[in-house]
Amino acid sequence: MDINNHIESPFTIKVSFNKLLEKYEELIHIDNDFIAASARRVLKIAENNPILREGFSKFSVFKTYEKEIEGILQDTFNPLLTHNEIKTAALPFYNFIFNPTERFKSIIEAAGDNYELEIRNMPTEQTYIIACSIVLNFCYGYSLNFKRPFFYEIPDENGVMHYYKILYNADFTEIKPKAHAPKITQEDYDELLDNFDNIDLWKEKFPPNSYEFNGFIISNMFDVTDDQSISNIKSGLIKEVKGKDNNFLDNFQEIFRSLLGLKSVKVGFSMYNKETDTFERLYGVGVNSFLLNELDTAQCSDALCDWSYNRLLNEKKYFSVSNVKKTLKTPKSSPPHIEVLDKQGIQSAIFAPIANDNGLMGILEIVSEKPKVLNSINANKLEDVMPFIESAIQRSKNEEENLIEAVIQKECTSIHSSVYWKFVEEAKSYIRAKAVSNESATFKKIAFENVYPLYGQIDVKGSSDARNSATQKDLSLQLNLVKKVLENSIQEKKLPIYEQVKFQITEYINDLNANFKVDSEHEITVYLKEEIKPIFELIAQTQSSIKYEIEDYFNKIDSDLGVIYYYRKHYDDTVKLINRNMSSLLDEKQVDAQKMYPHFFERFKTDGVEHNMYIGESITKEDSFNMLYLYNLRLWQLQVMCEMENQYYHEQHNYPMALDVASMILVFNQPLSVRFRMDEKRFDVDGTYNARYEVVKKRVDKAFIKGTEERITQKGKITIVYSQKEDEAEYVRYIKFLQSKNILSDDLEFIELEDLQGVTGLKALRVSLLYHNENDEKMFYTYDDLITTIAS
């Protein structure tokens, strides 16, 4: 087999010892008989075997001339050092080696029969270009620094990985262009400098097999396992570790095994919480905690003895346990950390504190199931890696704090993605100002001017009456249970106090049925907890025949609230489900709405779901706003409100209680200004004139139709409140369009509202919804669809 088969290269490779022999030809003339005689011996071998000078490319020649090659390389590969030096002769860009030292042979032998020698970080896709770079240096004198450190990764007989750095000696190589090789000009060189990854360009300048490579290279190797292990630990810790990286722990443990030269070790970690003086498990990367074992958290004083606690937490120094079994047998000694190690089958361990200037952050745990393999001697190797681990843990804690801040910001404030850019700008300005002047830096007001508001709500109809009804039923049920128990108790033991309590219970039942008030719930609940509960506990102790009735009564009581919470729970659960399901649908639809045109959006959960939207030039930060986007958003909002009602009534049978909902949209046709209120962490309208909009929002859903006692919002209908004639015309178009799509009914009403406090002249459109089956096709229509329908 030929060396040049199955490899694409600008070289045609021939192994030749000509350059080495030329050196020996010089040595025969020096004034040293011993050196000259040795040189003549080498030259004699070459003279008798001319192929070694001429060069060859067949692998079989290495076997045929093995002894002769060894003789020529005897000075280069000194036999006196063969058991010490890690050295081979080699070919460029091949994992083929020849004439290895005995030390190298033993390393490969220990790696096992299945091991294949391969340079770990040789970029195979760049091999051709690196070869071309060598030609530029050898043949054209351009000084290109393309050198990179290369390594072999070779396991020992125990499977522990060792790292060997390779240093190449190319003194005995020759590179010559063939006749057809293109000559490289300065322009070519300049072009290649900016196109390292353009393989086609390099092949154009250096066609395959256009240069001759004659000679060989010498590979000198050095065991750099300790240095590389430290580097790998540093690199591994610098990388951002994701929770899905299942290989992180395996890789990390393998690095420590190489550093310590031990295959049997495992690595664990325990986070330290200074506020509670506890150890906590680290989640996200599958790292175990051998101190905690099966616990998620533990007091440090419970996990450690006094000495180890002081050593790790106060002195911040590491310690080792070389023989767990022996330590446990020590009289009057049963440290908790030793016991927990023994339970896990661990027989030796090293515990190292990870600390910074602010104190302890965690404990690094290195353990083994074998005794004595971990001890105070090899624990010293941690000195070189602890700074990197400490830096990584500090960064991890900072990232966790940032993540917590991000979660708080997302879940507890109203900074929507559409306006986030404004907060970023102001934050940058604040940081710049603070850097210049600490005292005068202030965070400026976040405000958006000339934006159009949209408001909508889907609300539980008659929520107060429904809540009161549920409360009455719960209290009535509990009072009647109390009355029954008292009556049975009186039959057995007539005590005047029982008669008086029964009378009070009867009074509460009558008042509850005849005249339920807001404060009735509180009054009766307090009485049941403070008066009835102690009496029933006494009856249970003194009247065994009533004991089971009282136990049944207490079993019906909610353990947290101390009262029967059955009908009210149905109501509360129903409202929660309405909020959750309606909010989920609204959020889902918002994703598409933002694609139409970016706008601010927020929603609130009350006895239903309310939402605010603001759209305008100042929010988008771009010169792109057109009133068409406002019309699109209004039509989208109307359709979403219809869809939310549709979904609710379609799934109403799945709710614990049958409640009705009513939908309303408030139209405000003038742009206004909104600002972020730092104290409340939410957006609100800015200015006295704009405050009228907020007043209407808070009061309008309770408004009556003018001259009647009928609320403007009704179940099964959607109400659109407005004040201007052009708003009426716009929404009548939308309604007619959705009527043509069988989304709305044809019973459109035009309504005038009773005057609200400080607000007059409001009107409303009200129209019934057409409810669809879940299998019906649902589509959302755009303003363009509306215009097209009208035009046709």
Side-chain angles (χ1 to χ4, degrees), residues 133-196:
S133 301
I134 294 172
V135 172
L136 285 171
N137 281 13
F138 267 77
C139 299
Y140 297 97
Y142 292 115
S143 180
L144 285 177
N145 185 8
F146 55 85
K147 293 183 179 179
R148 294 178 55 202
F150 295 117
F151 297 89
Y152 285 131
E153 288 183 349
I154 307 175
D156 63 16
E157 63 274 9
N158 297 317
V160 176
M161 192 64 68
H162 289 255
Y163 302 90
Y164 299 90
K165 186 176 181 179
I166 308 167
L167 296 181
Y168 291 116
N169 183 335
D171 287 348
F172 308 115
T173 60
E174 302 176 86
I175 299 175
K176 297 178 182 179
K178 293 183 179 179
H180 67 277
K183 184 173 177 60
I184 303 300
T185 65
Q186 183 66 42
E187 290 181 1
D188 294 328
Y189 174 73
D190 293 341
E191 185 179 4
L192 291 168
L193 285 177
D194 294 321
N195 289 279
F196 182 79

Side-chain angles (χ1 to χ4, degrees), residues 540-558:
Q541 293 174 4
T542 57
Q543 296 178 248
S544 58
S545 60
I546 313 296
K547 180 180 178 181
Y548 295 107
E549 286 187 53
I550 293 176
E551 287 180 357
D552 181 61
Y553 167 81
F554 282 124
N555 286 336
K556 290 182 169 66
I557 303 299
D558 183 272

Side-chain angles (χ1 to χ4, degrees), residues 30-80:
I30 69 170
D31 188 17
N32 188 312
D33 293 341
F34 294 105
I35 294 176
S38 178
R40 283 192 290 271
R41 176 189 59 78
V42 171
L43 291 171
K44 184 64 175 177
I45 295 172
E47 183 182 345
N48 294 336
N49 304 279
I51 191 174
L52 300 180
R53 183 188 288 271
E54 295 166 2
F56 58 89
S57 59
K58 299 289 186 182
F59 282 112
S60 58
V61 177
F62 288 107
K63 188 64 177 175
T64 304
Y65 294 91
E66 183 177 4
K67 294 294 182 183
E68 289 78 5
I69 292 173
E70 184 178 349
I72 287 177
L73 296 177
Q74 181 175 330
D75 294 332
T76 311
F77 290 76
N78 193 319
L80 295 176

Side-chain angles (χ1 to χ4, degrees), residues 17 23 223 286 302 353 451 465 503 519 601 607 628 749 775 791:
F17 300 98
K23 294 291 184 183
D223 190 336
D302 294 335
V451 295
D465 292 341
F503 172 78
D519 60 349
F601 168 79
D607 282 342
L628 175 68
E749 301 173 81
N775 295 325

Side-chain angles (χ1 to χ4, degrees), residues 86-291:
I86 310 171
K87 190 174 181 180
T88 70
L91 300 178
F93 315 121
Y94 267 104
N95 284 309
F96 176 76
I97 56 97
F98 60 96
N99 202 63
T101 62
E102 292 299 321
R103 171 79 182 280
F104 186 82
K105 288 179 183 177
S106 65
I107 290 172
I108 297 300
E109 184 179 345
D113 295 336
N114 296 326
Y115 177 76
E116 292 185 10
L117 188 66
E118 184 177 359
I119 299 174
R120 186 191 62 160
N121 54 341
M122 172 69 78
T124 53
E125 70 281 0
Q126 296 174 354
T127 300
Y128 195 101
I129 295 173
I130 292 174
C132 297
S133 301
I134 294 172
V135 172
L136 285 171
N137 281 13
F138 267 77
C139 299
Y140 297 97
Y142 292 115
S143 180
L144 285 177
N145 185 8
F146 55 85
K147 293 183 179 179
R148 294 178 55 202
F150 295 117
F151 297 89
Y152 285 131
E153 288 183 349
I154 307 175
D156 63 16
E157 63 274 9
N158 297 317
V160 176
M161 192 64 68
H162 289 255
Y163 302 90
Y164 299 90
K165 186 176 181 179
I166 308 167
L167 296 181
Y168 291 116
N169 183 335
D171 287 348
F172 308 115
T173 60
E174 302 176 86
I175 299 175
K176 297 178 182 179
K178 293 183 179 179
H180 67 277
K183 184 173 177 60
I184 303 300
T185 65
Q186 183 66 42
E187 290 181 1
D188 294 328
Y189 174 73
D190 293 341
E191 185 179 4
L192 291 168
L193 285 177
D194 294 321
N195 289 279
F196 182 79
D197 292 326
N198 188 345
I199 184 66
D200 293 332
L201 179 64
W202 287 88
K203 286 183 178 180
E204 176 190 327
K205 307 298 183 185
F206 301 90
N209 304 316
S210 57
Y211 289 81
E212 291 180 349
F213 178 97
N214 294 309
F216 69 100
I217 57 178
I218 298 173
S219 298
N220 291 281
M221 284 155 277
F222 303 90
D223 190 336
V224 292
T225 301
D226 285 356
D227 292 339
Q228 188 61 32
S229 296
I230 293 170
S231 177
N232 289 346
I233 288 173
K234 182 179 178 181
S235 300
L237 292 171
I238 288 174
K239 291 178 183 177
E240 184 179 3
V241 180
K242 302 293 186 184
K244 295 179 181 178
D245 186 1
N246 296 323
N247 295 322
F248 171 76
L249 181 60
D250 292 338
N251 295 338
F252 202 57
Q253 290 186 151
E254 198 62 43
I255 292 169
F256 270 97
R257 288 165 182 166
S258 293
L259 177 67
L260 297 170
L262 299 169
K263 187 65 177 176
S264 62
V265 300
K266 298 177 183 177
V267 179
F269 184 78
S270 299
M271 291 288 287
Y272 175 65
N273 187 325
K274 184 178 180 180
E275 294 180 1
T276 58
D277 195 35
T278 56
F279 290 131
E280 298 175 354
R281 189 178 298 278
L282 178 65
Y283 292 98
V285 292
V287 177
N288 196 7
S289 169
F290 300 102
L291 272 176

